[in-house]
Amino acid sequence: MSLKNYEFWFVVGSQFLYGNEVLETVARRAVEMTDKLNASGNLPCKIVYKVTAKTNSEITEIIRDANHDPKCAGIITWCHTFSPSKMWINGLANLQKAWCHFATQYNREIPNNEIDMDFMNLNQAAHGDREHGFIGARLRAARKIIAGYWQDAETQQRLGNWMRAAAGAEFSKSLRVMRFGDNMREVAVTEGDKVEVQIKLGWQVNTWPVGKLAEVMNAVTDEEIDSLMKEYESLYDFATDKIDSIRYQAREEIAIKKMLDSEGCCAFSNTFQDLYGMRQLPGLATQHLLASGYGFGAEGDWKVGAMTAIIKFMSEGRTGGTAFMEDYTYHLVPGQEYSLGAHMLEVCPSVAASRPRIEVHHLGIGDKEDPARLVFEGHEGNAVVVSLVDMGGRLRLICQDIHCVKPIMPMPNLPVARVMWQAMPDLKTGLECWITAGGAHHSVLSYDVNYELVKDWARIMDIEFVHIDKNTTVESLEHDLFLSDLAWNLRR
Ligand code: MN
């Protein structure tokens, strides 16, 4: 499902106190705001004005409908006037979709000459917001609050980002993940409680035999491979004459895609330790699937595979790129402290600075034939790395702000795609924070989401969120994690 297929319902709070004329004005303005917001170009999904609510039953009914409508990814509430909040309790207590309290008002300015008590009674969002805010706090609701003028681009962009998070939550609730093989032997961080994950995030994580994939691969036709080879040629430079190796990757890609699509899966994992019946570890195959929007995690890491799919979904229409990533090695020269991220093959070309090259090299791990892979440099820009870990009884989502740079050296003998970045607040502190929080070596690296969007998603899913940014210190993080651990254990 595309992000664009989701919609958000605009529910405007009021009451009968002000008379019909005011209510008609409120409803008319709500329609005008909906139309202008939809036309702004800053929202990824449509807003649908639903009701100017005056009663408990109107609110309860619209929230019941929102819960049941698969197109509705959330409600946006706004109080043009004062809307007594006890009449919201029955509805909000049962809300199963994301909620944004939009703290805005119709007029930007206080009109100096015009303002009188009639104006005040009609335009009292400041009054209504506080009553509405209290009931959200009292219900301990996982709501998003966005304050700002509704015609400001920045306000609209924040609303748009929240919509992406809310739609990402709906996507998550129906996400299916296909596992080929188990997790890499003895590795801890790629493990996780799949039942807990399905309860909290909705993911259906199941396994299919590698032997079945090999069967599907063997049934792929030359015509199918020819067609995919043309696509490769249009997107990538062929920097090898080992065409058979590329064709073999095409065969793998076609077969994996067939199996994913037949089961409705948007993410997959595999492992170099279980490639029975396959001649190469999928490299180019996985990279091209990632570029098409599928999530992937190596070494059986289904958690990062699913997170990659979700962040790609939430980033629809953006062009910075989102990749499965792994922290590999450091450059520790004072003043030039960088992390070098890569993988043995499977970095997504959506983050490439220029047209990727297809190369074929020996792969020491996995004991298979030399696989074709895409080689490129990641582009410069601000990004985040995101890691989901299982803390035992709860999930923790860690998000670190990073700044990617053009790699400071060409590394001509490195046969894989690479991204170089500065972690926030600096390499040493950022690394100590990441390790303190238990962040994995695998992550999702994205230029297309910011921490606020990732945090909103985590809040909607009701999981722990940890942010490492330019102001984080090890001491403050340790303190936060200590309190967070107590709080989450109380909630179990
Ligand atoms: Mn790995």
Side-chain angles (χ1 to χ4, degrees):
M1 196 170 182
S2 163
L3 196 59
K4 290 190 185 65
N5 296 126
Y6 285 108
E7 60 186 37
F8 288 81
W9 291 6
F10 196 28
V11 180
V12 179
S14 195
Q15 60 176 326
F16 287 118
L17 189 67
Y18 313 106
N20 267 339
E21 204 183 319
V22 164
L23 288 173
E24 280 162 21
T25 304
V26 170
R28 196 172 59 246
R29 289 176 172 182
V31 170
E32 182 195 337
M33 287 168 69
T34 301
D35 292 345
K36 285 188 175 163
L37 286 166
N38 282 330
S40 71
N42 286 322
L43 305 183
C45 309
K46 197 167 87 172
I47 299 182
V48 181
Y49 166 67
K50 283 288 172 179
V51 66
T52 295
K54 287 91 51 193
T55 65
N56 185 307
S57 56
E58 279 179 314
I59 294 163
T60 303
E61 196 175 311
I62 202 69
I63 287 179
R64 194 180 58 220
D65 291 351
N67 285 342
H68 289 170
D69 190 328
K71 288 198 305 300
C72 176
I75 62 165
I76 298 167
T77 58
W78 171 55
C79 293
H80 190 309
T81 54
F82 190 83
S83 179
S85 275
K86 281 164 75 175
M87 67 189 194
W88 287 79
I89 293 173
N90 300 64
L92 289 175
N94 292 302
L95 177 65
Q96 294 164 354
K97 299 288 172 78
W99 170 22
C100 175
H101 173 172
F102 195 21
T104 190
Q105 73 181 10
Y106 177 76
N107 55 304
R108 185 193 288 273
E109 294 173 26
I110 294 171
N112 180 38
N113 287 321
E114 215 182 289
I115 189 165
D116 57 13
M117 277 322 287
D118 284 345
F119 180 93
M120 295 278 268
N121 281 328
L122 175 61
N123 300 284
Q124 50 173 315
H127 188 36
D129 272 334
R130 282 155 175 78
E131 171 73 358
H132 201 53
F134 166 72
I135 206 62
R138 177 65 181 80
L139 289 166
R140 275 77 172 167
R143 74 233 201 260
K144 175 71 176 179
I145 302 161
I146 296 178
Y149 189 55
W150 60 282
Q151 297 206 56
D152 286 347
E154 192 214 339
T155 305
Q156 294 170 352
Q157 282 155 6
R158 286 187 69 214
L159 187 62
N161 271 345
W162 172 79
M163 284 176 155
R164 288 174 183 273
E170 292 305 304
F171 178 76
S172 176
K173 288 180 197 170
S174 60
L175 179 62
R176 296 179 186 192
V177 183
M178 183 171 282
R179 299 173 71 222
F180 293 113
D182 205 335
N183 300 60
M184 180 180 166
R185 284 188 284 276
E186 307 290 354
V187 176
V189 78
T190 59
E191 294 284 355
D193 181 341
K194 296 193 279 293
V195 174
E196 172 76 7
V197 165
Q198 190 161 354
I199 292 167
K200 294 300 282 192
L201 308 178
W203 304 352
Q204 302 163 57
V205 183
N206 290 294
T207 188
W208 274 263
V210 180
K212 172 72 184 169
L213 176 59
E215 266 178 35
V216 178
M217 278 171 53
N218 291 336
V220 172
T221 65
D222 284 342
E223 291 71 32
E224 289 172 300
I225 293 173
D226 291 343
S227 164
L228 186 53
M229 288 292 284
K230 284 202 183 73
E231 200 177 328
Y232 290 165
E233 281 164 29
S234 73
L235 295 167
Y236 313 125
D237 287 340
F238 282 42
T240 175
D241 52 11
K242 295 176 179 162
I243 301 301
D244 280 352
S245 177
I246 302 173
R247 290 185 68 86
Y248 192 76
Q249 290 286 327
R251 179 182 294 279
E252 292 183 325
E253 175 176 343
I254 291 161
I256 294 168
K257 186 173 188 311
K258 280 182 183 173
M259 286 191 63
L260 292 173
D261 292 350
S262 72
E263 298 292 342
C265 294
C266 292
F268 70 108
S269 65
N270 62 16
T271 168
F272 64 86
Q273 288 172 333
D274 191 350
L275 296 173
Y276 187 82
M278 301 169 73
R279 282 168 25 209
Q280 297 177 17
L281 178 65
L284 168 61
T286 298
Q287 290 174 296
H288 191 61
L289 284 167
L290 275 159
S292 315
Y294 294 93
F296 169 76
E299 289 95 56
D301 193 344
W302 48 270
K303 294 200 302 300
V304 78
M307 282 312 305
T308 308
I310 290 167
I311 293 180
K312 280 179 174 287
F313 176 85
M314 296 194 297
S315 307
E316 187 180 303
R318 294 182 170 171
T319 55
T322 296
F324 161 66
M325 186 52 64
E326 178 169 280
D327 291 86
Y328 242 106
T329 195
Y330 305 121
H331 191 62
L332 291 169
V333 175
Q336 281 191 314
E337 291 161 311
Y338 298 106
S339 295
L340 181 66
H343 205 261
M344 63 175 86
L345 297 175
E346 309 94 335
V347 176
C348 176
S350 65
V351 302
S354 57
R355 193 174 154 96
R357 299 181 309 280
I358 299 178
E359 299 182 12
V360 176
H361 300 280
H362 177 65
L363 179 65
I365 292 168
D367 205 20
K368 291 282 175 179
E369 287 178 12
D370 300 351
R373 80 287 304 272
L374 295 168
V375 180
F376 55 86
E377 288 184 344
H379 68 85
E380 185 272 339
N382 291 326
V384 293
V385 280
V386 177
S387 171
L388 181 72
V389 294
D390 186 330
M391 295 299 290
R394 76 172 187 279
L395 299 160
R396 169 180 286 171
L397 192 68
I398 303 156
C399 177
Q400 182 168 39
D401 295 350
I402 62 171
H403 180 72
C404 298
V405 297
K406 177 177 168 54
I408 60 169
M409 54 195 86
M411 299 173 276
N413 291 312
L414 184 65
V416 292
R418 72 294 303 266
V419 180
M420 189 173 264
W421 68 82
Q422 294 166 319
M424 297 296 142
D426 58 75
L427 190 146
K428 282 178 276 190
T429 311
L431 171 58
E432 289 177 14
C433 288
W434 187 267
I435 291 171
T436 299
H441 55 281
H442 286 165
S443 62
V444 187
L445 185 149
S446 179
Y447 298 77
D448 288 330
V449 295
N450 61 11
Y451 90 91
E452 187 182 3
L453 196 163
V454 178
K455 181 181 73 174
D456 288 348
W457 181 83
R459 180 177 293 167
I460 296 165
M461 304 321 295
D462 191 29
I463 62 171
E464 185 186 7
F465 178 76
V466 176
H467 182 209
I468 303 167
D469 73 356
K470 63 181 186 343
N471 299 315
T472 309
T473 63
V474 174
E475 193 176 13
S476 69
L477 183 72
E478 282 172 344
H479 178 74
D480 290 350
L481 292 177
F482 174 74
L483 294 179
S484 177
D485 208 42
L486 289 175
W488 282 93
N489 283 334
L490 281 174
R491 289 185 53 184
R492 284 174 70 183

